[in-house]
Amino acid sequence: MTLDSVSEAIEEAIFRQEKILNALANVNSSNLDDKGNKEATTSASTATNNNDYNNARIDSVIRRHEEVSAILLKLLDLRNKSNELKTIRKLHPSKPTKEQTKELENALEKLGFRSLLTMTDLDQQYLSRRERQKEFGRPAGFEGLVFSSPAGVPILVGREQSHGDATLRRVAQGSDLWFQVDDYDGSRVLLRTSLRKGTKGSKVCRQMAADLAAYYSGHRRDQDGEGVRVMYTDSRHVAKRGSKAGQLRHHKTLGRMVGHPGQVKHLANEKEQ
């Protein structure tokens, strides 16, 4: 295998181990919460049995966490060695690295990741999704585009005409702002100000979200005109049920802005490439 292929397999292995650690952390936190709640609401004898059960679960999660952490440390060491080989290859193109690459391949196989060394085209598509998941503010299961405002606030652009996108409704918090062109002819845009404290009142962030809402609408061609009317509101005023679930309501908007599609054209082109 080539050095680049082995390096990609190492990155994929690291990504999967980190996901496992995140999941274990959530499970452990949930177990501790359950333990506290049950101790407060059950009798002494029942609480003792519950504690024994919860302690066993917590111990199991801790052991698994230690196992995965140990594997992750070894993978990170392989990443460092891989990067060193890439540096050698760049500085000394004629110097052979085949033997060291084979050593990396064997080490990765010993850690139990042999299948990653024979990835198919479908696996490559998965890797592409993995890269999208690394974007700050991208929720699990969201297939739309994610932009970043000048203040670092994630801006999610849903699929066109996808008013009922359950993922957007699920992740939206009270301080997040929704944007959509006045005539509903376009994608809904979510400005996730809940992820950056003190940004809900940012005019720059709101303007970028309005520009994106205008660009991802039927008014995209209006790039040199007077702009497109865009309404915005918070999560409390977005329809949650029925045939209009996910739609903004004209009579419950917080305000309106003028979106300028041309201002974000270059950003959109980069994302869509």
Side-chain angles (χ1 to χ4, degrees):
M1 295 187 68
T2 66
L3 176 58
D4 290 335
S5 297
V6 175
S7 296
E8 186 58 67
I10 292 172
E11 290 302 318
E12 176 62 18
I14 290 173
F15 172 74
R16 295 186 181 187
Q17 299 308 105
E18 288 176 339
K19 286 198 70 174
I20 293 173
L21 288 179
N22 288 336
L24 289 172
N26 291 334
V27 170
N28 207 19
S29 176
S30 176
N31 285 341
L32 290 173
D33 289 342
D34 289 345
K35 179 180 178 181
N37 292 334
K38 289 177 180 178
E39 285 179 344
T41 58
T42 58
S43 64
S45 59
T46 304
T48 300
N49 292 332
N50 286 336
N51 286 341
D52 290 342
Y53 174 70
N54 281 325
N55 287 337
R57 289 175 63 189
I58 292 172
D59 289 343
S60 176
V61 171
I62 291 175
R63 285 195 300 272
R64 179 59 176 155
H65 192 283
E66 292 174 346
E67 293 171 359
V68 175
S69 296
I71 293 174
L72 181 58
L73 285 176
K74 293 178 181 179
L75 289 170
L76 292 174
D77 182 56
L78 293 182
R79 172 197 273 171
N80 291 335
K81 291 179 179 178
S82 171
N83 290 335
E84 290 174 1
L85 287 180
K86 288 180 179 179
T87 300
I88 292 174
R89 184 180 64 182
K90 183 177 181 179
L91 297 176
H92 308 285
S94 61
K95 189 170 183 177
T97 57
K98 186 175 181 180
E99 184 176 341
Q100 293 95 323
T101 300
K102 185 63 178 178
E103 290 177 358
L104 289 178
E105 185 179 338
N106 291 338
L108 190 60
E109 186 173 339
K110 287 181 180 179
L111 289 175
F113 298 101
R114 182 177 182 180
S115 62
L116 297 183
L117 297 169
T118 56
M119 290 186 288
T120 64
D121 291 339
L122 288 176
D123 294 321
Q124 292 298 329
Q125 293 177 18
Y126 171 79
L127 295 179
S128 177
R129 291 196 297 274
R130 184 195 75 190
E131 290 302 315
R132 292 204 302 272
Q133 290 174 1
K134 289 182 179 180
E135 294 175 298
F136 174 62
R138 176 181 288 279
F142 180 65
E143 294 296 329
L145 299 174
V146 179
F147 294 83
S148 180
S149 79
V153 178
I155 304 176
L156 276 54
V157 179
R159 293 166 296 172
E160 191 171 353
Q161 302 300 331
S162 179
H163 301 307
D165 191 328
T167 302
L168 283 180
R169 298 202 310 278
R170 173 175 56 82
V171 302
Q173 303 296 316
S175 61
D176 292 341
L177 295 175
W178 297 76
F179 294 76
Q180 192 169 28
V181 291
D182 250 16
D183 60 5
Y184 296 115
D185 183 20
S187 299
R188 290 178 310 136
V189 173
L190 182 65
L191 179 65
R192 302 194 70 185
T193 51
S194 61
L195 299 182
R196 293 288 190 196
K197 291 184 178 180
T199 57
K200 184 176 181 179
S202 170
K203 293 182 179 179
V204 175
C205 295
R206 290 205 309 265
Q207 186 60 58
M208 182 175 175
D211 293 342
L212 286 168
Y215 184 85
Y216 288 99
S217 75
H219 307 282
R220 177 181 297 191
R221 296 183 181 278
D222 184 17
Q223 296 183 12
D224 299 313
E226 297 180 356
V228 183
R229 282 174 60 84
V230 176
M231 55 184 169
Y232 68 94
T233 189
D234 59 21
S235 298
R236 295 172 299 173
H237 298 124
V238 174
K240 298 178 176 60
R241 302 179 184 84
S243 60
K244 294 185 178 181
Q247 284 196 19
L248 281 66
R249 302 168 180 174
H250 280 285
H251 62 289
K252 290 189 176 181
T253 61
L254 294 180
R256 283 176 169 77
M257 301 179 64
V258 177
H260 300 280
Q263 294 297 316
V264 292
K265 180 180 178 181
H266 63 292
L267 294 175
N269 288 339
E270 290 177 1
K271 283 287 183 180
E272 294 169 359
Q273 285 179 355

